[in-house]
Amino acid sequence: MRRTRGEPLFVADWVNVLMIHFAVDAKPLQWEVPFELDLREGWAFVTLVAFTMREMRLAFGGCLTSWVFQPMATHDFLNLRTYVRVGRDVGIHFLAEWVSNRLAVALGPRSFSLPYRHGLISYHNDWSAGELCGRVEDAGTGAAFAYQADLAVDAPLSECDPDSLDQWLMERYSAFNSACGRKRFFRVWHEP
């Protein structure tokens, strides 16, 4: 996120990221999303993203300001997002996010209109062996999501092919949110 043009406000690492994409009927999803859906070949998409955010901190001030974020610098997430269009800009919209840190749950909706919920999250990912599994339980309702996956560990990572579905799903640099009765957006940056 940026303070002024070109300057990030926060920096963090996302580690052990697992994304599971689903093509869905756009019409019923549009009723739940306060922004225009961005469709691909007539389909809307939703994505579950399981990851650990590590070392979140202010982008300025070094050690003097990093201590402010220590209570929530590293924690687990599961978010459910979809893909939207606002004017000429395309981005993501978070439908729900389960977060393991209670302080982050309290601040996310107020600060950035993020739909945070407290989640009991347990990830056990052995990326070197290609074995991934995890479980996320909504602390309020007890509803749970669990996954188990096997990955081909010899597949090299590479940039998405231009105009591919992978590029369409991955290369989004704006987040349009709506929580606590407020619509907000922020920009993100990551390597392609």
Side-chain angles (χ1 to χ4, degrees):
M1 298 191 316
R2 302 189 184 281
R3 297 183 278 151
T4 60
R5 188 181 280 316
E7 294 182 25
L9 179 58
F10 298 111
V11 293
D13 294 325
W14 281 23
V15 296
N16 297 328
V17 179
L18 174 65
M19 301 179 85
I20 305 169
H21 306 288
F22 301 92
V24 300
D25 185 3
K27 192 174 283 187
L29 180 60
Q30 185 63 76
W31 296 334
E32 302 297 324
V33 177
F35 305 99
E36 176 189 356
L37 289 174
D38 189 17
L39 305 180
R40 174 89 178 194
E41 298 176 4
W43 290 96
F45 282 79
V46 295
T47 300
L48 283 166
V49 185
F51 68 99
T52 299
M53 183 171 65
R54 188 176 63 195
E55 298 179 23
M56 185 178 88
R57 61 206 178 276
L58 291 168
F60 56 92
C63 294
L64 295 175
T65 59
S66 66
W67 67 269
V68 172
F69 283 89
Q70 281 305 309
M72 60 181 182
T74 299
H75 53 278
D76 296 319
F77 280 82
L78 175 69
N79 70 48
L80 176 62
R81 70 187 197 177
T82 191
Y83 303 86
V84 297
R85 177 175 296 281
V86 178
R88 296 171 61 190
D89 202 359
V90 296
I92 60 174
H93 171 69
F94 295 106
L95 298 164
E97 295 192 72
W98 290 268
V99 181
S100 63
N101 184 290
R102 288 183 187 272
L103 180 58
V105 170
L107 295 176
R110 290 178 182 92
S111 302
F112 300 103
S113 294
L114 294 166
Y116 281 2
R117 302 167 184 179
H118 184 234
L120 307 172
I121 301 175
S122 176
Y123 294 146
H124 302 285
N125 299 319
D126 183 351
W127 290 86
S128 63
E131 300 170 353
L132 312 176
C133 65
R135 184 175 189 282
V136 178
E137 180 180 332
D138 187 295
T141 67
F145 168 77
Y147 67 87
Q148 182 173 348
D150 296 319
L151 299 178
V153 294
D154 57 349
L157 294 177
S158 62
E159 288 187 25
C160 300
D161 290 332
D163 300 319
S164 66
L165 177 59
D166 290 337
Q167 183 186 51
W168 188 87
L169 291 164
M170 301 293 294
E171 303 305 326
R172 300 284 175 138
Y173 298 97
S174 298
F176 298 95
N177 305 311
S178 179
C180 300
R182 296 180 300 204
K183 290 182 181 177
R184 294 204 174 155
F185 85 98
F186 60 86
R187 305 245 186 243
V188 296
W189 179 87
H190 58 78
E191 294 284 342

